[in-house]
């Protein structure tokens, strides 16, 4: 459907899967940890992890708006207490 409306979200979620990503044209840059997050509202989003050393499947996360490459984007940080 092309119809949509904005709705507030909790800003929290759970990592379903994650991987280390290397940019195809910027191989000299540090790899990023990218994850699939499920929000309690039923939405799934792809995001970068701000603390990749704590990334694990089942880990709870909270979204933060972060500047990346001159843009403000949502990224996640783990909040502890994984499964």
């Amino acid at each position: 459907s092309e119809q949509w409306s904005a709705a507030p979200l909790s800003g929290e979620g759970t990592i379903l899967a994650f991987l280390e990503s290397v940019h195809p044209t910027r191989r000299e840059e540090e790899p990023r940890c990218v994850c699939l997050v499920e929000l309690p509202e039923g939405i799934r989003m792809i995001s970068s992890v701000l603390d990749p050393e704590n990334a694990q499947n089942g880990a709870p996360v909270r979204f933060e708006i972060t500047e990346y490459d001159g843009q403000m984007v949502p990224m996640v940080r783990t909040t502890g207490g994984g499964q």
Side-chain angles (χ1 to χ4, degrees), residues 2-53:
E2 293 184 19
Q3 296 180 9
W4 63 274
S5 61
L9 300 172
S10 65
E12 299 178 347
T14 304
I15 293 178
L16 297 179
F18 68 96
L19 58 85
E20 186 175 273
S21 173
V22 177
H23 194 285
T25 61
R26 301 181 195 167
R27 295 197 175 276
E28 69 284 353
E29 289 184 8
E30 189 74 24
R32 294 181 311 181
C33 183
V34 179
C35 68
L36 174 63
V37 177
E38 184 168 53
L39 284 66
E41 295 84 1
I43 296 169
R44 291 182 177 181
M45 293 179 62
I46 301 290
S47 180
S48 292
V49 182
L50 293 167
D51 57 337
E53 67 279 4

